[in-house]
Amino acid sequence: YIPDPDSDTLSAAGTLAANLAAVSGAPLNLEVAFSAPPADAGTSIVVAAAQALPGSVADAVGLDAAGMRQAWRSQMLNSSVGTAGLGEAPLYTGS
C-alpha cells in the first residue's frame, strides 16, 4: 500500500520489491494499491514517509503516528547533515 505515491515513495517501493525478489530468488506476486486495503486483506506492506502515513494505518498496527512524526521531525532538525550545493533545501539521510 502506497498512500502518497510521489516519485521518492514509488522509488522506495520499487527498490523494496526488487530486493525482496532478489532475496527470495524468484519474482514476487505483488499487488500495488494506492488506497488502504481492508482490515481482513491479510499481510500488507506499507511504504510511506512518516508524515504521509495515515493515522488509521498506524492505529491498526499499534503505532503512535503523531509521536513517530515528531520523533522524525526532531531527528531531522537535530541532524548534522549539511546543505552544501542544495540551496536552502537540507539534505536528509537515514538508516
Side-chain angles (χ1 to χ4, degrees), residues 59-84:
D59 291 344
V61 296
L63 292 174
D64 173 12
M68 186 174 56
R69 287 184 194 102
Q70 182 58 41
W72 275 101
R73 190 175 300 115
S74 295
Q75 177 66 28
M76 292 300 104
L77 292 175
N78 294 325
S79 174
S80 62
V81 176
T83 59

mmCIF file with all atom_site columns, all heavy atoms in Angstrom, residues 59-84:
data_model
loop_
_atom_site.group_PDB
_atom_site.id
_atom_site.type_symbol
_atom_site.label_atom_id
_atom_site.label_alt_id
_atom_site.label_comp_id
_atom_site.label_asym_id
_atom_site.label_entity_id
_atom_site.label_seq_id
_atom_site.pdbx_PDB_ins_code
_atom_site.Cartn_x
_atom_site.Cartn_y
_atom_site.Cartn_z
_atom_site.occupancy
_atom_site.B_iso_or_equiv
_atom_site.pdbx_formal_charge
_atom_site.auth_seq_id
_atom_site.auth_comp_id
_atom_site.auth_asym_id
_atom_site.auth_atom_id
_atom_site.pdbx_PDB_model_num
ATOM 1   N N   . ASP A 1 59 ? -2.710 3.284  13.582 1.00 0.00 ? 59 ASP A N   1
ATOM 2   C CA  . ASP A 1 59 ? -3.524 2.742  14.668 1.00 0.00 ? 59 ASP A CA  1
ATOM 3   C C   . ASP A 1 59 ? -3.729 1.240  14.517 1.00 0.00 ? 59 ASP A C   1
ATOM 4   O O   . ASP A 1 59 ? -3.693 0.492  15.498 1.00 0.00 ? 59 ASP A O   1
ATOM 5   C CB  . ASP A 1 59 ? -4.894 3.426  14.728 1.00 0.00 ? 59 ASP A CB  1
ATOM 6   C CG  . ASP A 1 59 ? -4.806 4.878  15.166 1.00 0.00 ? 59 ASP A CG  1
ATOM 7   O OD1 . ASP A 1 59 ? -3.754 5.283  15.716 1.00 0.00 ? 59 ASP A OD1 1
ATOM 8   O OD2 . ASP A 1 59 ? -5.786 5.612  14.941 1.00 0.00 ? 59 ASP A OD2 1
ATOM 9   N N   . ALA A 1 60 ? -3.943 0.790  13.285 1.00 0.00 ? 60 ALA A N   1
ATOM 10  C CA  . ALA A 1 60 ? -4.219 -0.629 13.035 1.00 0.00 ? 60 ALA A CA  1
ATOM 11  C C   . ALA A 1 60 ? -3.053 -1.526 13.427 1.00 0.00 ? 60 ALA A C   1
ATOM 12  O O   . ALA A 1 60 ? -3.258 -2.682 13.789 1.00 0.00 ? 60 ALA A O   1
ATOM 13  C CB  . ALA A 1 60 ? -4.575 -0.841 11.567 1.00 0.00 ? 60 ALA A CB  1
ATOM 14  N N   . VAL A 1 61 ? -1.840 -0.993 13.361 1.00 0.00 ? 61 VAL A N   1
ATOM 15  C CA  . VAL A 1 61 ? -0.667 -1.797 13.720 1.00 0.00 ? 61 VAL A CA  1
ATOM 16  C C   . VAL A 1 61 ? -0.045 -1.370 15.049 1.00 0.00 ? 61 VAL A C   1
ATOM 17  O O   . VAL A 1 61 ? 1.039  -1.808 15.406 1.00 0.00 ? 61 VAL A O   1
ATOM 18  C CB  . VAL A 1 61 ? 0.395  -1.796 12.592 1.00 0.00 ? 61 VAL A CB  1
ATOM 19  C CG1 . VAL A 1 61 ? -0.142 -2.449 11.348 1.00 0.00 ? 61 VAL A CG1 1
ATOM 20  C CG2 . VAL A 1 61 ? 0.892  -0.397 12.311 1.00 0.00 ? 61 VAL A CG2 1
ATOM 21  N N   . GLY A 1 62 ? -0.723 -0.498 15.782 1.00 0.00 ? 62 GLY A N   1
ATOM 22  C CA  . GLY A 1 62 ? -0.278 -0.113 17.112 1.00 0.00 ? 62 GLY A CA  1
ATOM 23  C C   . GLY A 1 62 ? 0.826  0.921  17.156 1.00 0.00 ? 62 GLY A C   1
ATOM 24  O O   . GLY A 1 62 ? 1.574  0.983  18.126 1.00 0.00 ? 62 GLY A O   1
ATOM 25  N N   . LEU A 1 63 ? 0.937  1.742  16.113 1.00 0.00 ? 63 LEU A N   1
ATOM 26  C CA  . LEU A 1 63 ? 1.936  2.812  16.116 1.00 0.00 ? 63 LEU A CA  1
ATOM 27  C C   . LEU A 1 63 ? 1.318  4.125  16.555 1.00 0.00 ? 63 LEU A C   1
ATOM 28  O O   . LEU A 1 63 ? 0.167  4.402  16.255 1.00 0.00 ? 63 LEU A O   1
ATOM 29  C CB  . LEU A 1 63 ? 2.512  3.014  14.705 1.00 0.00 ? 63 LEU A CB  1
ATOM 30  C CG  . LEU A 1 63 ? 3.375  1.901  14.142 1.00 0.00 ? 63 LEU A CG  1
ATOM 31  C CD1 . LEU A 1 63 ? 3.728  2.214  12.693 1.00 0.00 ? 63 LEU A CD1 1
ATOM 32  C CD2 . LEU A 1 63 ? 4.636  1.730  14.959 1.00 0.00 ? 63 LEU A CD2 1
ATOM 33  N N   . ASP A 1 64 ? 2.088  4.941  17.239 1.00 0.00 ? 64 ASP A N   1
ATOM 34  C CA  . ASP A 1 64 ? 1.672  6.293  17.593 1.00 0.00 ? 64 ASP A CA  1
ATOM 35  C C   . ASP A 1 64 ? 2.130  7.205  16.459 1.00 0.00 ? 64 ASP A C   1
ATOM 36  O O   . ASP A 1 64 ? 3.281  7.635  16.420 1.00 0.00 ? 64 ASP A O   1
ATOM 37  C CB  . ASP A 1 64 ? 2.314  6.688  18.923 1.00 0.00 ? 64 ASP A CB  1
ATOM 38  C CG  . ASP A 1 64 ? 2.074  8.135  19.304 1.00 0.00 ? 64 ASP A CG  1
ATOM 39  O OD1 . ASP A 1 64 ? 1.225  8.804  18.666 1.00 0.00 ? 64 ASP A OD1 1
ATOM 40  O OD2 . ASP A 1 64 ? 2.741  8.605  20.247 1.00 0.00 ? 64 ASP A OD2 1
ATOM 41  N N   . ALA A 1 65 ? 1.236  7.459  15.492 1.00 0.00 ? 65 ALA A N   1
ATOM 42  C CA  . ALA A 1 65 ? 1.599  8.220  14.294 1.00 0.00 ? 65 ALA A CA  1
ATOM 43  C C   . ALA A 1 65 ? 2.118  9.606  14.642 1.00 0.00 ? 65 ALA A C   1
ATOM 44  O O   . ALA A 1 65 ? 3.133  10.053 14.103 1.00 0.00 ? 65 ALA A O   1
ATOM 45  C CB  . ALA A 1 65 ? 0.414  8.312  13.340 1.00 0.00 ? 65 ALA A CB  1
ATOM 46  N N   . ALA A 1 66 ? 1.449  10.292 15.549 1.00 0.00 ? 66 ALA A N   1
ATOM 47  C CA  . ALA A 1 66 ? 1.877  11.645 15.915 1.00 0.00 ? 66 ALA A CA  1
ATOM 48  C C   . ALA A 1 66 ? 3.250  11.610 16.588 1.00 0.00 ? 66 ALA A C   1
ATOM 49  O O   . ALA A 1 66 ? 4.114  12.438 16.295 1.00 0.00 ? 66 ALA A O   1
ATOM 50  C CB  . ALA A 1 66 ? 0.848  12.301 16.823 1.00 0.00 ? 66 ALA A CB  1
ATOM 51  N N   . GLY A 1 67 ? 3.457  10.661 17.461 1.00 0.00 ? 67 GLY A N   1
ATOM 52  C CA  . GLY A 1 67 ? 4.752  10.524 18.131 1.00 0.00 ? 67 GLY A CA  1
ATOM 53  C C   . GLY A 1 67 ? 5.869  10.178 17.164 1.00 0.00 ? 67 GLY A C   1
ATOM 54  O O   . GLY A 1 67 ? 6.984  10.685 17.265 1.00 0.00 ? 67 GLY A O   1
ATOM 55  N N   . MET A 1 68 ? 5.543  9.322  16.192 1.00 0.00 ? 68 MET A N   1
ATOM 56  C CA  . MET A 1 68 ? 6.529  8.938  15.193 1.00 0.00 ? 68 MET A CA  1
ATOM 57  C C   . MET A 1 68 ? 6.919  10.140 14.327 1.00 0.00 ? 68 MET A C   1
ATOM 58  O O   . MET A 1 68 ? 8.102  10.377 14.073 1.00 0.00 ? 68 MET A O   1
ATOM 59  C CB  . MET A 1 68 ? 5.970  7.824  14.313 1.00 0.00 ? 68 MET A CB  1
ATOM 60  C CG  . MET A 1 68 ? 6.959  7.253  13.344 1.00 0.00 ? 68 MET A CG  1
ATOM 61  S SD  . MET A 1 68 ? 6.332  5.822  12.450 1.00 0.00 ? 68 MET A SD  1
ATOM 62  C CE  . MET A 1 68 ? 4.848  6.471  11.705 1.00 0.00 ? 68 MET A CE  1
ATOM 63  N N   . ARG A 1 69 ? 5.920  10.915 13.906 1.00 0.00 ? 69 ARG A N   1
ATOM 64  C CA  . ARG A 1 69 ? 6.216  12.103 13.102 1.00 0.00 ? 69 ARG A CA  1
ATOM 65  C C   . ARG A 1 69 ? 7.072  13.087 13.885 1.00 0.00 ? 69 ARG A C   1
ATOM 66  O O   . ARG A 1 69 ? 8.021  13.669 13.355 1.00 0.00 ? 69 ARG A O   1
ATOM 67  C CB  . ARG A 1 69 ? 4.914  12.770 12.666 1.00 0.00 ? 69 ARG A CB  1
ATOM 68  C CG  . ARG A 1 69 ? 4.193  12.016 11.590 1.00 0.00 ? 69 ARG A CG  1
ATOM 69  C CD  . ARG A 1 69 ? 2.949  12.779 11.121 1.00 0.00 ? 69 ARG A CD  1
ATOM 70  N NE  . ARG A 1 69 ? 2.107  11.907 10.352 1.00 0.00 ? 69 ARG A NE  1
ATOM 71  C CZ  . ARG A 1 69 ? 0.993  11.322 10.794 1.00 0.00 ? 69 ARG A CZ  1
ATOM 72  N NH1 . ARG A 1 69 ? 0.551  11.561 12.010 1.00 0.00 ? 69 ARG A NH1 1
ATOM 73  N NH2 . ARG A 1 69 ? 0.303  10.514 10.018 1.00 0.00 ? 69 ARG A NH2 1
ATOM 74  N N   . GLN A 1 70 ? 6.747  13.280 15.155 1.00 0.00 ? 70 GLN A N   1
ATOM 75  C CA  . GLN A 1 70 ? 7.513  14.205 15.988 1.00 0.00 ? 70 GLN A CA  1
ATOM 76  C C   . GLN A 1 70 ? 8.938  13.715 16.178 1.00 0.00 ? 70 GLN A C   1
ATOM 77  O O   . GLN A 1 70 ? 9.889  14.502 16.115 1.00 0.00 ? 70 GLN A O   1
ATOM 78  C CB  . GLN A 1 70 ? 6.833  14.406 17.340 1.00 0.00 ? 70 GLN A CB  1
ATOM 79  C CG  . GLN A 1 70 ? 7.556  15.388 18.246 1.00 0.00 ? 70 GLN A CG  1
ATOM 80  C CD  . GLN A 1 70 ? 7.719  16.768 17.629 1.00 0.00 ? 70 GLN A CD  1
ATOM 81  O OE1 . GLN A 1 70 ? 6.821  17.284 16.990 1.00 0.00 ? 70 GLN A OE1 1
ATOM 82  N NE2 . GLN A 1 70 ? 8.890  17.358 17.796 1.00 0.00 ? 70 GLN A NE2 1
ATOM 83  N N   . ALA A 1 71 ? 9.112  12.422 16.364 1.00 0.00 ? 71 ALA A N   1
ATOM 84  C CA  . ALA A 1 71 ? 10.455 11.870 16.543 1.00 0.00 ? 71 ALA A CA  1
ATOM 85  C C   . ALA A 1 71 ? 11.296 12.084 15.294 1.00 0.00 ? 71 ALA A C   1
ATOM 86  O O   . ALA A 1 71 ? 12.470 12.477 15.377 1.00 0.00 ? 71 ALA A O   1
ATOM 87  C CB  . ALA A 1 71 ? 10.373 10.390 16.882 1.00 0.00 ? 71 ALA A CB  1
ATOM 88  N N   . TRP A 1 72 ? 10.719 11.834 14.108 1.00 0.00 ? 72 TRP A N   1
ATOM 89  C CA  . TRP A 1 72 ? 11.448 12.051 12.866 1.00 0.00 ? 72 TRP A CA  1
ATOM 90  C C   . TRP A 1 72 ? 11.749 13.533 12.665 1.00 0.00 ? 72 TRP A C   1
ATOM 91  O O   . TRP A 1 72 ? 12.837 13.900 12.244 1.00 0.00 ? 72 TRP A O   1
ATOM 92  C CB  . TRP A 1 72 ? 10.664 11.508 11.667 1.00 0.00 ? 72 TRP A CB  1
ATOM 93  C CG  . TRP A 1 72 ? 10.903 10.055 11.466 1.00 0.00 ? 72 TRP A CG  1
ATOM 94  C CD1 . TRP A 1 72 ? 10.086 9.034  11.834 1.00 0.00 ? 72 TRP A CD1 1
ATOM 95  C CD2 . TRP A 1 72 ? 12.048 9.443  10.877 1.00 0.00 ? 72 TRP A CD2 1
ATOM 96  N NE1 . TRP A 1 72 ? 10.648 7.837  11.508 1.00 0.00 ? 72 TRP A NE1 1
ATOM 97  C CE2 . TRP A 1 72 ? 11.840 8.054  10.908 1.00 0.00 ? 72 TRP A CE2 1
ATOM 98  C CE3 . TRP A 1 72 ? 13.220 9.939  10.323 1.00 0.00 ? 72 TRP A CE3 1
ATOM 99  C CZ2 . TRP A 1 72 ? 12.782 7.157  10.412 1.00 0.00 ? 72 TRP A CZ2 1
ATOM 100 C CZ3 . TRP A 1 72 ? 14.144 9.036  9.820  1.00 0.00 ? 72 TRP A CZ3 1
ATOM 101 C CH2 . TRP A 1 72 ? 13.920 7.674  9.866  1.00 0.00 ? 72 TRP A CH2 1
ATOM 102 N N   . ARG A 1 73 ? 10.780 14.382 12.973 1.00 0.00 ? 73 ARG A N   1
ATOM 103 C CA  . ARG A 1 73 ? 10.990 15.832 12.825 1.00 0.00 ? 73 ARG A CA  1
ATOM 104 C C   . ARG A 1 73 ? 12.135 16.276 13.731 1.00 0.00 ? 73 ARG A C   1
ATOM 105 O O   . ARG A 1 73 ? 13.032 17.007 13.297 1.00 0.00 ? 73 ARG A O   1
ATOM 106 C CB  . ARG A 1 73 ? 9.697  16.574 13.165 1.00 0.00 ? 73 ARG A CB  1
ATOM 107 C CG  . ARG A 1 73 ? 9.732  18.043 12.826 1.00 0.00 ? 73 ARG A CG  1
ATOM 108 C CD  . ARG A 1 73 ? 8.373  18.715 13.065 1.00 0.00 ? 73 ARG A CD  1
ATOM 109 N NE  . ARG A 1 73 ? 7.325  18.111 12.259 1.00 0.00 ? 73 ARG A NE  1
ATOM 110 C CZ  . ARG A 1 73 ? 6.267  17.444 12.759 1.00 0.00 ? 73 ARG A CZ  1
ATOM 111 N NH1 . ARG A 1 73 ? 6.116  17.321 14.055 1.00 0.00 ? 73 ARG A NH1 1
ATOM 112 N NH2 . ARG A 1 73 ? 5.363  16.930 11.966 1.00 0.00 ? 73 ARG A NH2 1
ATOM 113 N N   . SER A 1 74 ? 12.139 15.816 14.970 1.00 0.00 ? 74 SER A N   1
ATOM 114 C CA  . SER A 1 74 ? 13.198 16.178 15.907 1.00 0.00 ? 74 SER A CA  1
ATOM 115 C C   . SER A 1 74 ? 14.543 15.667 15.429 1.00 0.00 ? 74 SER A C   1
ATOM 116 O O   . SER A 1 74 ? 15.548 16.369 15.507 1.00 0.00 ? 74 SER A O   1
ATOM 117 C CB  . SER A 1 74 ? 12.905 15.600 17.295 1.00 0.00 ? 74 SER A CB  1
ATOM 118 O OG  . SER A 1 74 ? 11.750 16.180 17.828 1.00 0.00 ? 74 SER A OG  1
ATOM 119 N N   . GLN A 1 75 ? 14.559 14.430 14.916 1.00 0.00 ? 75 GLN A N   1
ATOM 120 C CA  . GLN A 1 75 ? 15.803 13.852 14.410 1.00 0.00 ? 75 GLN A CA  1
ATOM 121 C C   . GLN A 1 75 ? 16.355 14.687 13.255 1.00 0.00 ? 75 GLN A C   1
ATOM 122 O O   . GLN A 1 75 ? 17.542 14.956 13.186 1.00 0.00 ? 75 GLN A O   1
ATOM 123 C CB  . GLN A 1 75 ? 15.571 12.408 13.964 1.00 0.00 ? 75 GLN A CB  1
ATOM 124 C CG  . GLN A 1 75 ? 16.782 11.741 13.369 1.00 0.00 ? 75 GLN A CG  1
ATOM 125 C CD  . GLN A 1 75 ? 17.904 11.527 14.359 1.00 0.00 ? 75 GLN A CD  1
ATOM 126 O OE1 . GLN A 1 75 ? 17.672 11.392 15.551 1.00 0.00 ? 75 GLN A OE1 1
ATOM 127 N NE2 . GLN A 1 75 ? 19.122 11.508 13.872 1.00 0.00 ? 75 GLN A NE2 1
ATOM 128 N N   . MET A 1 76 ? 15.493 15.092 12.351 1.00 0.00 ? 76 MET A N   1
ATOM 129 C CA  . MET A 1 76 ? 15.938 15.849 11.186 1.00 0.00 ? 76 MET A CA  1
ATOM 130 C C   . MET A 1 76 ? 16.399 17.249 11.580 1.00 0.00 ? 76 MET A C   1
ATOM 131 O O   . MET A 1 76 ? 17.377 17.755 11.055 1.00 0.00 ? 76 MET A O   1
ATOM 132 C CB  . MET A 1 76 ? 14.827 15.942 10.137 1.00 0.00 ? 76 MET A CB  1
ATOM 133 C CG  . MET A 1 76 ? 14.485 14.625 9.478  1.00 0.00 ? 76 MET A CG  1
ATOM 134 S SD  . MET A 1 76 ? 15.875 13.871 8.617  1.00 0.00 ? 76 MET A SD  1
ATOM 135 C CE  . MET A 1 76 ? 16.346 12.564 9.742  1.00 0.00 ? 76 MET A CE  1
ATOM 136 N N   . LEU A 1 77 ? 15.723 17.868 12.525 1.00 0.00 ? 77 LEU A N   1
ATOM 137 C CA  . LEU A 1 77 ? 16.115 19.206 12.964 1.00 0.00 ? 77 LEU A CA  1
ATOM 138 C C   . LEU A 1 77 ? 17.437 19.186 13.711 1.00 0.00 ? 77 LEU A C   1
ATOM 139 O O   . LEU A 1 77 ? 18.189 20.150 13.667 1.00 0.00 ? 77 LEU A O   1
ATOM 140 C CB  . LEU A 1 77 ? 15.022 19.821 13.843 1.00 0.00 ? 77 LEU A CB  1
ATOM 141 C CG  . LEU A 1 77 ? 13.722 20.169 13.122 1.00 0.00 ? 77 LEU A CG  1
ATOM 142 C CD1 . LEU A 1 77 ? 12.678 20.655 14.131 1.00 0.00 ? 77 LEU A CD1 1
ATOM 143 C CD2 . LEU A 1 77 ? 13.953 21.224 12.046 1.00 0.00 ? 77 LEU A CD2 1
ATOM 144 N N   . ASN A 1 78 ? 17.723 18.079 14.388 1.00 0.00 ? 78 ASN A N   1
ATOM 145 C CA  . ASN A 1 78 ? 18.962 17.968 15.155 1.00 0.00 ? 78 ASN A CA  1
ATOM 146 C C   . ASN A 1 78 ? 20.077 17.308 14.373 1.00 0.00 ? 78 ASN A C   1
ATOM 147 O O   . ASN A 1 78 ? 21.166 17.106 14.888 1.00 0.00 ? 78 ASN A O   1
ATOM 148 C CB  . ASN A 1 78 ? 18.709 17.172 16.441 1.00 0.00 ? 78 ASN A CB  1
ATOM 149 C CG  . ASN A 1 78 ? 17.789 17.917 17.378 1.00 0.00 ? 78 ASN A CG  1
ATOM 150 O OD1 . ASN A 1 78 ? 17.833 19.133 17.456 1.00 0.00 ? 78 ASN A OD1 1
ATOM 151 N ND2 . ASN A 1 78 ? 16.952 17.192 18.077 1.00 0.00 ? 78 ASN A ND2 1
ATOM 152 N N   . SER A 1 79 ? 19.819 16.978 13.117 1.00 0.00 ? 79 SER A N   1
ATOM 153 C CA  . SER A 1 79 ? 20.796 16.289 12.290 1.00 0.00 ? 79 SER A CA  1
ATOM 154 C C   . SER A 1 79 ? 21.958 17.215 11.966 1.00 0.00 ? 79 SER A C   1
ATOM 155 O O   . SER A 1 79 ? 21.799 18.416 11.800 1.00 0.00 ? 79 SER A O   1
ATOM 156 C CB  . SER A 1 79 ? 20.138 15.819 10.992 1.00 0.00 ? 79 SER A CB  1
ATOM 157 O OG  . SER A 1 79 ? 21.107 15.281 10.136 1.00 0.00 ? 79 SER A OG  1
ATOM 158 N N   . SER A 1 80 ? 23.136 16.630 11.837 1.00 0.00 ? 80 SER A N   1
ATOM 159 C CA  . SER A 1 80 ? 24.312 17.417 11.455 1.00 0.00 ? 80 SER A CA  1
ATOM 160 C C   . SER A 1 80 ? 24.550 17.356 9.947  1.00 0.00 ? 80 SER A C   1
ATOM 161 O O   . SER A 1 80 ? 25.596 17.757 9.475  1.00 0.00 ? 80 SER A O   1
ATOM 162 C CB  . SER A 1 80 ? 25.544 16.903 12.200 1.00 0.00 ? 80 SER A CB  1
ATOM 163 O OG  . SER A 1 80 ? 25.784 15.553 11.843 1.00 0.00 ? 80 SER A OG  1
ATOM 164 N N   . VAL A 1 81 ? 23.571 16.835 9.202  1.00 0.00 ? 81 VAL A N   1
ATOM 165 C CA  . VAL A 1 81 ? 23.711 16.723 7.745  1.00 0.00 ? 81 VAL A CA  1
ATOM 166 C C   . VAL A 1 81 ? 23.710 18.108 7.140  1.00 0.00 ? 81 VAL A C   1
ATOM 167 O O   . VAL A 1 81 ? 22.898 18.957 7.473  1.00 0.00 ? 81 VAL A O   1
ATOM 168 C CB  . VAL A 1 81 ? 22.555 15.874 7.157  1.00 0.00 ? 81 VAL A CB  1
ATOM 169 C CG1 . VAL A 1 81 ? 22.628 15.836 5.641  1.00 0.00 ? 81 VAL A CG1 1
ATOM 170 C CG2 . VAL A 1 81 ? 22.595 14.483 7.737  1.00 0.00 ? 81 VAL A CG2 1
ATOM 171 N N   . GLY A 1 82 ? 24.623 18.355 6.223  1.00 0.00 ? 82 GLY A N   1
ATOM 172 C CA  . GLY A 1 82 ? 24.771 19.679 5.626  1.00 0.00 ? 82 GLY A CA  1
ATOM 173 C C   . GLY A 1 82 ? 23.837 19.923 4.451  1.00 0.00 ? 82 GLY A C   1
ATOM 174 O O   . GLY A 1 82 ? 23.095 19.047 4.041  1.00 0.00 ? 82 GLY A O   1
ATOM 175 N N   . THR A 1 83 ? 23.912 21.132 3.935  1.00 0.00 ? 83 THR A N   1
ATOM 176 C CA  . THR A 1 83 ? 23.066 21.524 2.811  1.00 0.00 ? 83 THR A CA  1
ATOM 177 C C   . THR A 1 83 ? 23.898 21.994 1.626  1.00 0.00 ? 83 THR A C   1
ATOM 178 O O   . THR A 1 83 ? 23.371 22.613 0.715  1.00 0.00 ? 83 THR A O   1
ATOM 179 C CB  . THR A 1 83 ? 22.098 22.642 3.225  1.00 0.00 ? 83 THR A CB  1
ATOM 180 O OG1 . THR A 1 83 ? 22.868 23.761 3.670  1.00 0.00 ? 83 THR A OG1 1
ATOM 181 C CG2 . THR A 1 83 ? 21.146 22.191 4.313  1.00 0.00 ? 83 THR A CG2 1
ATOM 182 N N   . ALA A 1 84 ? 25.175 21.710 1.616  1.00 0.00 ? 84 ALA A N   1
ATOM 183 C CA  . ALA A 1 84 ? 26.060 22.217 0.556  1.00 0.00 ? 84 ALA A CA  1
ATOM 184 C C   . ALA A 1 84 ? 25.566 21.806 -0.821 1.00 0.00 ? 84 ALA A C   1
ATOM 185 O O   . ALA A 1 84 ? 25.237 20.666 -1.062 1.00 0.00 ? 84 ALA A O   1
ATOM 186 C CB  . ALA A 1 84 ? 27.471 21.687 0.775  1.00 0.00 ? 84 ALA A CB  1
#
